[in-house]
Amino acid sequence: MVFDLGYGLTALGYFLLFLLLLTTRKSGFARHLLMLSTIIMVAWAVLHVTYINNNLSRESILVYDSIRQSVWMLFICACIQTSVSNLFSFLRQPTTLIALILPVTTMLSAGFQLMPSSWQFSLHTLLAIQALVMTEIMYRQAGENKWAFKPLVIYLAAINLMDFAIYANALMLNTLSWDFFAARGYIFFTLMPFLVIAVRRIKHWGIEIFVSRDVVLHSTLLLLAGIYLLVMSLLGYLVKYYGGSWSLSIQLALVVISLTLLAALLMSHQIRTKVKVFITKHFYANQYDYRVEWVKLTKTLTESKTDNLPSVYETALRGWMEGIGYDSGIVYKKRNLDFTPVSRLPAHAEDLPRLVIQCIARFYDTKPWIIDVDELKSKPENYAHLDEKSAFIHHCPYQLIIPIVVNDDLWGFVCLDAELPNRRALNWELRDYISALSDQITSFIINAENSLALAENAQFAAFNRMSAFVVHDLKNVLAQINLIISNAKEHKDNPEFIEDTFETLEYTKERMDKMLKQLMQKNTEPNKGKNNVEVVSLINDLIAQKCATLLPLPKVDANGEINLQIDAEKLSNVLYHLIQNAQQATPDDGSVNLQISQTDAEVEIQIADNGEGMSMDFIKHRLFKPFDTTKGNAGMGIGAYDAKTFIEESKGILEVESEVGQGTTFLIKLPKGL
């Protein structure tokens, strides 16, 4: 009876595992071999039940064991050779052929009685050793997947160690021990959970066990009841072993306490819920394929227009609706102390009544949880902090209210609904999925809001920057006008002065028109109007018209004509700023020298003075920093920055050498072919 019970449990357990494998939706070579091994285990265990097989003998046991070992050897080979995908190519592999030599020899010798019993015991012992060696190879080959293969290794190692012990003992005694065989049925049944765990862990087998949650829940409760009865049986055994007896009072007390505890276990909603969540989390495939859902969500968020906030909010709402499979929704954003709708789909989606919004706001002040109106109807105790539940249920036109939390602060919430057949029950998995979905969409909203804010700030910054350059140019224009006014009293009757004044005013008008055009068009790019410029003449005119009023008067050293393709006006402004700075930094009796030279590829303009000079720290950290000036209110602090920016945009180089008290040299290198 003890012998039959162990093998009967083994047959039943492996048969249930076989049924679970049949529920797998995917097909694969490993799955087929595992199903074959499992059904062979069922047949092997059934044939060991003496009530079914009356002719169980030593010879038949050897045959059954050799068949079982051969099939499991095939399965181990398949685990080692993961790249093989079909039976024909698998059987042709040298590893498979070598591994099957010993199992096939053992099976033939047992089936046809080709060897004495002691030799057959030896073959079975070697077969167990071979299985152990191949199991170790499989584990070492697993690499980073060792964690997934550990349960399978434990299972295979244990059953093969049991076989090794049985046949090593038989080899020494020249007979099989029926005590070993009686224990083996229970051991194989007890080890089966390791195989189930391995099936769940090793993903590349393509096996996903699925059973009805209710069936497993009820089975688990029966298992707990069985564990309870087993504990009570052990207590009875201990009493019997150590002597004594149960008194009637103790028996009645234990019966009442036991029944009470068992009833509490079976009837407790909390316990059953926890057990169900545990089973669902650890033994079931997810309701959602997160990889597929994430790809779909990413596609939704990236392919929609997000150039304005209404489009951003509509895209986010569409992400929530498509992610859960609902067909209507509305997004509310917190503005000061109120919530206002910022997007709705479809366009006629209903607004929330003020009463409902106030209830949501008060509830989210304490617990920013997902609200399921359907669950609220059946389990109001789950929403203890929600006010006016009856009015909320009656007036809320949506099923799900999902909070949008940013840095622990409530940004807003989204309401979703679907037709009754398409509504989803808010279980733990849907909560987790919605939370993950909301985190991703919330990040999208915040990033989009920040990007649009940055773009707007960048526009203002660009406009302000352009305005600063315009103001800088206005200073130059104003300097020319001041020069005219200062000389007007003395030379107003001089026709040549009047003619020069009109030319200067005309030039000033052109400059003013360009600046106004820049302001109207918000153009921050440098003037791209390039033309052929004779650099020496441009510098001589610049000094004569703008720099002659300051001392020391700049001196120019150049040989012949030097031509350059560049924006003449912008180059003139840059050179004027550098020359003027050199004059202002140099005493009246000092010197400012300009040397102009050229090579085949570039033009070099050197501006050198023997004035105050600058420290290396100033050059490195402040000279080219915009709006940083040493002139107080007299300067804008953008002249050097403007010069460096223009020269670099013109593919040139601006180099500075300076020493405090010795002077400064600016060297401009510009390519000719621009």
Side-chain angles (χ1 to χ4, degrees):
M1 180 63 182
V2 175
F3 191 95
D4 290 347
L5 179 59
Y7 285 98
L9 290 172
T10 301
L12 178 61
Y14 282 88
F15 180 69
L16 292 176
L17 177 59
F18 176 75
L19 294 179
L20 291 177
L21 294 174
L22 288 177
T23 65
T24 302
R25 299 178 178 88
K26 297 180 180 179
S27 179
F29 184 58
R31 170 178 174 264
H32 293 149
L33 280 180
L34 183 59
M35 290 179 65
L36 175 62
S37 302
T38 305
I39 199 65
I40 289 296
M41 286 294 295
V42 174
W44 173 84
V46 168
L47 291 173
H48 278 71
V49 178
T50 57
Y51 184 78
I52 298 174
N53 185 9
N54 295 324
N55 297 321
L56 184 64
S57 61
R58 182 186 66 184
E59 291 76 13
S60 58
I61 286 176
L62 293 174
V63 173
Y64 301 155
D65 278 2
S66 61
I67 295 174
R68 173 180 59 82
Q69 282 281 45
S70 299
V71 175
W72 278 110
M73 199 69 69
L74 280 174
F75 179 72
I76 296 173
C77 289
C79 292
I80 294 174
Q81 304 175 68
T82 56
S83 60
V84 181
S85 59
N86 60 79
L87 181 61
F88 180 71
S89 60
F90 170 67
L91 293 176
R92 292 176 54 191
Q93 296 295 318
T95 303
T96 307
L97 295 175
I98 294 172
L100 288 179
I101 292 175
L102 184 57
V104 172
T105 303
T106 305
M107 185 167 50
L108 292 176
S109 65
F112 295 100
Q113 297 295 310
L114 302 177
M115 299 179 183
S117 298
S118 59
W119 284 48
Q120 294 187 30
F121 295 155
S122 300
L123 288 176
H124 278 275
T125 305
L126 292 174
L127 189 57
I129 294 174
Q130 177 182 325
L132 289 170
V133 171
M134 294 185 66
T135 301
E136 182 185 3
I137 293 173
M138 176 185 68
Y139 181 67
R140 292 183 181 278
Q141 186 175 295
E144 296 180 355
N145 293 324
K146 282 187 171 63
W147 172 84
F149 276 85
K150 275 184 180 179
L152 178 62
V153 170
I154 292 173
Y155 171 81
L156 294 173
I159 64 174
N160 285 291
L161 282 172
M162 185 66 192
D163 285 344
F164 176 80
I166 289 174
Y167 288 105
N169 180 72
L171 186 61
M172 289 186 295
L173 302 179
N174 200 28
T175 185
L176 294 174
S177 172
W178 293 103
D179 291 333
F180 277 100
F181 279 91
R184 186 167 67 166
Y186 295 99
I187 292 173
F188 276 37
F189 174 71
T190 307
L191 292 172
M192 195 182 68
F194 288 100
L195 183 58
V196 176
I197 295 172
V199 170
R200 289 291 300 163
R201 286 188 180 181
I202 303 175
K203 300 299 183 183
H204 68 263
W205 284 356
I207 302 174
E208 297 177 358
I209 294 179
F210 176 82
V211 189
S212 168
R213 288 166 168 78
D214 293 332
V215 170
V216 176
L217 174 63
H218 297 153
S219 301
T220 305
L221 293 176
L222 290 176
L223 178 61
L224 292 175
I227 292 173
Y228 161 77
L229 294 175
L230 179 62
V231 171
M232 296 302 298
S233 301
L234 288 174
L235 290 175
Y237 174 78
L238 291 174
V239 170
K240 181 179 179 181
Y241 182 80
Y242 289 106
S245 61
W246 299 85
S247 67
L248 180 60
S249 300
I250 295 176
Q251 292 181 41
L252 289 175
L254 287 175
V255 168
V256 173
I257 294 172
S258 302
L259 291 176
T260 303
L261 292 175
L262 185 59
L265 177 65
L266 295 174
M267 297 178 64
S268 172
H269 172 75
Q270 185 177 4
I271 293 177
R272 287 190 289 112
T273 300
K274 288 183 177 180
V275 172
K276 187 173 183 178
V277 169
F278 176 81
I279 293 170
T280 307
K281 279 187 175 182
H282 293 85
F283 292 97
Y284 288 94
N286 293 321
Q287 181 181 355
Y288 296 94
D289 187 334
Y290 283 86
R291 183 187 65 82
V292 174
E293 296 299 331
W294 239 240
V295 170
K296 183 171 69 174
L297 176 63
T298 303
K299 187 176 181 181
T300 299
L301 298 181
T302 55
E303 291 186 354
S304 301
K305 290 180 62 178
T306 55
D307 54 351
N308 56 74
L309 286 178
S311 298
V312 170
Y313 300 141
E314 181 178 329
T315 299
L317 178 57
R318 187 178 296 109
W320 266 301
M321 291 169 55
E322 293 178 358
I324 305 175
Y326 278 25
D327 50 28
S328 64
I330 184 169
V331 176
Y332 279 82
K333 181 177 181 179
K334 188 175 184 180
R335 301 184 189 277
N336 298 324
L337 299 177
D338 199 7
F339 291 87
T340 56
V342 293
S343 182
R344 69 183 76 233
L345 289 173
H348 59 271
E350 187 176 351
D351 284 344
L352 288 178
R354 177 56 50 187
L355 171 65
V356 174
I357 294 177
Q358 292 172 350
C359 290
I360 293 173
R362 288 193 296 270
F363 179 75
Y364 283 156
D365 282 341
T366 57
K367 293 186 178 298
W369 290 351
I370 300 172
I371 300 175
D372 181 0
V373 177
D374 291 345
E375 183 183 49
L376 178 62
K377 294 176 183 177
S378 59
K379 300 174 184 177
E381 67 276 6
N382 292 349
Y383 301 90
H385 297 278
L386 185 63
D387 301 333
E388 304 183 51
K389 295 181 180 61
S390 299
F392 186 94
I393 294 171
H394 180 72
H395 293 288
C396 183
Y398 297 93
Q399 180 210 352
L400 297 178
I401 295 94
I402 304 168
I404 305 173
V405 179
V406 178
N407 296 328
D408 296 328
D409 293 327
L410 186 67
W411 182 94
F413 56 86
V414 57
C415 307
L416 301 173
D417 197 28
E419 296 296 330
L420 191 59
N422 298 324
R423 285 188 174 183
R424 299 182 182 274
L426 190 64
N427 55 19
W428 72 267
E429 184 182 357
L430 186 58
R431 284 184 186 275
D432 286 353
Y433 172 69
I434 290 177
S435 297
L437 190 73
S438 297
D439 288 343
Q440 185 78 357
I441 297 176
T442 301
S443 297
F444 163 77
I445 292 175
I446 300 306
N447 289 336
E449 286 183 337
N450 292 338
S451 297
L452 291 174
L454 285 174
E456 184 176 336
N457 290 337
Q459 289 178 336
F460 280 108
F463 185 80
N464 291 337
R465 175 186 172 189
M466 180 266 298
S467 301
F469 287 116
V470 170
V471 172
H472 184 265
D473 288 343
L474 281 174
K475 285 179 57 186
N476 297 334
V477 172
L478 183 61
Q480 291 178 320
I481 294 175
N482 286 334
L483 182 63
I484 293 173
I485 294 173
S486 62
N487 294 323
K489 292 181 181 180
E490 182 179 353
H491 301 285
K492 62 182 180 179
D493 297 326
N494 187 342
E496 294 181 357
F497 172 77
I498 294 174
E499 185 177 351
D500 289 341
T501 299
F502 278 110
E503 289 181 0
T504 302
L505 289 175
E506 184 177 357
Y507 171 76
T508 301
K509 176 183 178 299
E510 293 177 358
R511 291 290 307 278
M512 295 290 289
D513 287 341
K514 288 184 179 181
M515 286 186 284
L516 287 173
K517 187 176 181 181
Q518 284 183 325
L519 286 172
M520 295 297 294
Q521 297 179 351
K522 302 182 179 61
N523 181 20
T524 62
E525 294 294 324
N527 194 328
K528 300 294 184 179
K530 299 172 184 176
N531 46 41
N532 186 51
V533 177
E534 206 289 297
V535 179
V536 178
S537 298
L538 182 144
I539 292 176
N540 286 328
D541 292 342
L542 174 65
I543 293 173
Q545 295 175 8
K546 297 182 180 181
C547 303
T549 57
L550 288 177
L551 295 176
L553 187 66
K555 297 180 180 179
V556 180
D557 179 13
N559 295 320
E561 292 186 357
I562 299 177
N563 294 302
L564 186 65
Q565 289 288 329
I566 201 167
D567 183 341
E569 182 180 353
K570 190 65 179 176
L571 177 62
S572 177
N573 289 339
V574 166
L575 293 174
Y576 170 65
H577 171 80
L578 296 178
I579 295 171
Q580 186 185 52
N581 280 359
Q583 289 176 302
Q584 292 173 350
T586 305
D588 291 351
D589 57 351
S591 63
V592 175
N593 298 314
L594 279 76
Q595 183 174 351
I596 309 162
S597 60
Q598 65 178 332
T599 64
D600 292 339
E602 64 183 13
V603 174
E604 293 186 0
I605 304 173
Q606 179 178 287
I607 304 171
D609 66 71
N610 59 355
E612 299 175 359
M614 298 175 288
S615 67
M616 290 303 299
D617 182 74
F618 181 87
I619 295 173
K620 184 176 181 181
H621 295 103
R622 296 186 60 188
L623 177 61
F624 299 111
K625 183 179 180 181
F627 309 110
D628 186 357
T629 179
T630 59
K631 301 176 183 178
N633 294 330
M636 291 290 297
I638 61 172
Y641 170 78
D642 186 27
K644 185 173 186 294
T645 301
F646 169 73
I647 292 169
E648 289 180 349
E649 288 177 348
S650 301
K651 311 300 182 184
I653 299 173
L654 176 60
E655 298 176 352
V656 184
E657 292 183 3
S658 184
E659 187 175 346
V660 177
Q662 299 297 319
T664 302
T665 299
F666 282 87
L667 178 61
I668 301 172
K669 297 179 180 180
L670 291 168
K672 284 184 174 181
L674 287 174

